[in-house]
Amino acid sequence: MPPRNLHFRRKVFVFYSFLVSGILILLCSFFFIFIFDILRGKAEEYFKQVLEKVASNLDNVVLTLDVVSTQLVASSDLQDAFTKAGEWQNESENYFDKKLQERKKAMDILIAINSAKDRVKRLSIFNRSGTFVSLGSELEDTDRVRQNITQDRWYTGTDTRGTFYKLLPPHLDDWVKEGDAATVFSLVRPFVATYSSYATLGTIEVQQSYSMLADICRLDDPRGSLKLLVVDKDMNVIYPYGSVTSEQAKIYSESAKRASPGEIYSFHNTLSGVSEYACFMRTMSSPWTVILSQARRDFLGPAYSILIFLFLICIVVILASLLAIFLVTRSLMIPLQELRESVKSITLEDPPINLPSSHNEIELLKDAFNDMLRRLKDSTHQIIQAKASEGHAHFLALQAEINPHFLYNSIMSISAAGQEAGSRKVQIMCAQLSDIFRYIASSDGAKTTMKDELHHAETYLKFIKWRYEELLDFSIDIPDALQGVRVGKLLLQPIIENCFSHGFDKV
């Protein structure tokens, strides 16, 4: 809250600055959270789409290899040829190099199966004795080939029922000269005599170029921040072959065990020391796992860019708002300052405030001040008149005090004249009249005791008796308990006067 010692203008500016800044910061925060959730959702959706696309294409490639190998297994002619080859006693030579007619028949079948746009790079059927037939690039060293195909790696993982195939990770082509060997991957399965004894006649290898995998797994990522990794269940790197170590593949594979397929998860890459977001998906037709990862800073990079942009926009808007608030408060305070100066210069002789303003509130405030000043002026005049009236009343009171003295002096003059004339009656009447006037003019208040009121009434009756003489006779009888009761002054005199006005009107 603004300090209390700030001026009103500064208080208004500080209050609305905090209010507007707070609202803008809240709006930017909510907007950033909203945008962040959208961008994160889109990034996660992109991860899943890439994984689904790559996994689907890999499944198609493996499915093609599987279909081709299944077609080879289903060929009765190939089964007959390899049955005859197994019965051949000379294991030092390739059966199909010696039996050219059988070789041509086998090659025609291989060509027919792979004729649809050359679906695979090489088709090969061989057995442990070194007998083989292969369709692909021309072989330059058959002895080396025969030596290679007798190794145990071709037969590990396959059974004799023909229901299982094995995918070999990327490797150099064993069928050509070492200097000319390209990187390939293969599907191998047992070649079983399904039309007769179900005996294993040999092994089928369906070979495909690694470049096809590279094309499938290549990402459209100009920044190069995305990493796509394909590994098998034995932690062999399928893609990218040769650029990812087995230790790196193990880290990604182990991190995937803590999440579910298609779930975005984060982990710390201990080799690179970078925190990463990752997602994985398993292919349906192969034991391969596709893992897509990206560094946290790159994954949230667009969100951070939006945050910086929003921060700059928020700062600009806040500064613009503060400037607008400053200008508005200054324009609003100018009429108040003018009103303050006008109030400081007003006098009771010239009270109205003349303040040109386009603000209705200021006009109303000015009118209220003018109305207050008019009432103040009227009150001042009323006070002055009241003071004058009070002075006049005081003067009249002084006059009222003078008049009784004048009457008393006059009565005393009459009494003195009666004494000189030897008239006792005149003296007594003057004394009685003086007592009556003294009681009436006394300043003891509007209340008196019953005793004093009766005494005044008795004096008044005695004074009247001088006129009516024997016609008037009176007596006063009141209990002593009522002597001290307070009654209104001159309570009895009007009654007595009415008695004389109506009782002696004929006399």
Side-chain angles (χ1 to χ4, degrees):
M1 296 192 52
R4 292 188 175 182
N5 58 352
L6 291 178
H7 296 298
F8 179 68
R9 174 180 171 182
R10 293 180 181 175
K11 288 182 179 180
V12 172
F13 175 76
V14 171
F15 175 78
Y16 282 103
S17 297
F18 276 106
L19 179 63
V20 173
S21 300
I23 292 175
L24 289 175
I25 292 174
L26 286 177
L27 289 177
C28 289
S29 300
F30 286 130
F31 185 70
F32 170 72
I33 294 173
F34 176 72
I35 294 298
F36 179 82
D37 290 339
I38 292 178
L39 293 177
R40 180 184 174 90
K42 288 185 176 180
E44 294 179 354
E45 186 65 25
Y46 176 72
F47 265 43
K48 295 176 183 178
Q49 290 177 356
V50 170
L51 288 175
E52 289 175 356
K53 180 181 178 181
V54 172
S56 177
N57 291 336
L58 291 178
D59 278 330
N60 291 334
V61 171
V62 174
L63 183 61
T64 299
L65 300 181
D66 183 34
V67 169
V68 171
S69 67
T70 303
Q71 291 174 345
L72 293 177
V73 172
S75 174
S76 60
D77 292 335
L78 286 177
Q79 291 184 22
D80 290 341
F82 269 84
T83 300
K84 295 176 182 178
E87 296 173 351
W88 196 46
Q89 300 299 323
N90 188 358
E91 296 184 359
S92 61
E93 294 180 322
N94 182 10
Y95 171 78
F96 292 100
D97 288 341
K98 297 298 181 180
K99 305 295 182 178
L100 297 182
Q101 187 65 29
E102 294 293 332
R103 174 183 174 84
K104 181 178 184 306
K105 184 188 301 184
M107 291 297 290
D108 289 341
I109 295 174
L110 296 182
I111 292 172
I113 291 176
N114 197 42
S115 61
K117 299 182 179 179
D118 293 332
R119 290 186 289 177
V120 297
K121 184 176 186 294
R122 180 180 296 277
L123 293 177
S124 302
I125 305 176
F126 51 89
N127 59 26
R128 284 182 177 272
S129 64
T131 294
F132 68 90
V133 62
S134 179
L135 173 66
S137 58
E138 186 175 355
L139 306 180
E140 298 183 5
D141 189 351
T142 58
D143 292 334
R144 190 178 67 84
V145 170
R146 293 184 72 245
Q147 182 181 359
N148 288 338
I149 63 177
T150 58
Q151 296 177 4
D152 289 337
R153 68 184 179 87
W154 293 107
Y155 309 99
T156 304
T158 61
D159 58 24
T160 58
R161 293 173 296 174
T163 58
F164 182 81
Y165 62 80
K166 179 181 179 181
L167 287 172
L168 300 181
H171 57 278
L172 294 177
D173 190 355
D174 295 307
W175 297 87
V176 297
K177 188 170 62 175
E178 292 185 5
D180 299 332
T183 303
V184 295
F185 66 99
S186 305
L187 181 147
V188 295
R189 73 186 315 151
F191 185 34
V192 180
T194 57
Y195 293 100
S196 57
S197 62
Y198 282 92
T200 301
L201 303 176
T203 301
I204 297 174
E205 180 196 12
V206 182
Q207 188 183 93
Q208 188 60 278
S209 175
Y210 173 76
S211 61
M212 178 176 288
L213 281 182
D215 291 338
I216 292 174
C217 298
R218 186 175 295 112
L219 300 176
D220 184 14
D221 180 29
R223 296 185 301 170
S225 60
L226 291 173
K227 299 177 184 177
L228 184 69
L229 179 67
V230 182
V231 296
D232 61 15
K233 62 181 181 179
D234 297 323
M235 302 296 176
N236 295 311
V237 178
I238 308 301
Y239 176 87
Y241 177 70
S243 61
V244 175
T245 65
S246 58
E247 187 177 3
Q248 291 174 327
K250 182 178 180 181
I251 290 176
Y252 285 99
S253 299
E254 292 294 331
S255 67
K257 293 180 180 179
R258 299 192 297 268
S260 302
E263 176 187 355
I264 302 294
Y265 62 93
S266 62
F267 73 100
H268 183 73
N269 192 326
T270 55
L271 288 179
S272 62
V274 177
S275 296
E276 299 183 30
Y277 280 104
C279 184
F280 76 92
M281 188 170 294
R282 296 187 178 94
T283 58
M284 298 178 62
S285 57
S286 66
W288 293 347
T289 300
V290 184
I291 303 173
L292 183 64
S293 68
Q294 189 176 31
R296 182 190 295 267
R297 61 177 179 273
D298 296 322
F299 184 84
L300 300 177
Y304 290 147
S305 300
I306 292 293
L307 175 61
I308 295 174
F309 177 74
L310 285 178
F311 177 76
L312 295 177
I313 291 296
C314 186
I315 292 297
V316 172
V317 174
I318 288 176
L319 292 177
S321 301
L322 293 180
L323 178 60
I325 293 173
F326 174 78
L327 296 177
V328 170
T329 52
R330 187 178 68 174
S331 64
L332 290 176
M333 293 301 113
I334 288 177
L336 290 178
Q337 292 176 351
E338 294 177 351
L339 180 62
R340 182 186 64 183
E341 297 299 327
S342 299
V343 170
K344 289 170 61 176
S345 61
I346 62 173
T347 60
L348 290 178
E349 288 75 16
D350 187 19
I353 299 175
N354 296 318
L355 181 64
S357 176
S358 59
H359 302 281
N360 294 334
E361 291 78 5
I362 301 300
E363 288 290 336
L364 294 175
L365 185 61
K366 181 190 69 175
D367 294 341
F369 267 112
N370 287 334
D371 184 61
M372 181 191 68
L373 291 174
R374 283 192 293 270
R375 292 199 307 271
L376 180 61
K377 185 176 182 180
D378 294 340
S379 298
T380 303
H381 288 318
Q382 291 175 1
I383 292 174
I384 293 174
Q385 291 177 356
K387 290 291 185 181
S389 299
E390 182 182 358
H392 182 66
H394 183 67
F395 176 74
L396 293 177
L398 291 176
Q399 285 184 334
E401 290 180 0
I402 294 173
N403 289 335
H405 288 290
F406 175 74
L407 291 175
Y408 296 153
N409 292 333
S410 299
I411 291 172
M412 294 301 296
S413 297
I414 295 172
S415 177
Q419 184 179 6
E420 290 177 358
S423 177
R424 179 66 180 171
K425 179 179 180 180
V426 172
Q427 290 181 338
I428 294 174
M429 290 181 68
C430 288
Q432 291 174 342
L433 184 59
S434 176
D435 290 339
I436 292 172
F437 283 149
R438 187 176 292 108
Y439 180 77
I440 293 173
S442 66
S443 59
D444 295 340
K447 296 286 186 179
T448 187
T449 62
M450 180 63 75
K451 179 181 179 180
D452 292 338
E453 183 66 13
L454 291 175
H455 178 73
H456 168 70
E458 183 180 7
T459 303
Y460 182 69
L461 288 172
K462 288 179 180 180
F463 183 78
I464 295 298
K465 186 173 176 61
W466 291 109
R467 176 184 175 186
Y468 297 103
E469 296 181 349
E470 70 280 356
L471 295 178
L472 174 63
D473 194 12
F474 65 89
S475 64
I476 297 176
D477 185 14
I478 185 171
D480 294 338
L482 299 178
Q483 295 290 331
V485 176
R486 296 189 65 79
V487 295
K489 185 183 287 188
L490 301 178
L491 174 66
L492 301 177
Q493 183 172 337
I495 299 174
I496 297 173
E497 289 180 354
N498 285 336
C499 291
F500 286 106
S501 298
H502 300 290
F504 293 91
D505 56 345
K506 301 298 184 181
V507 179

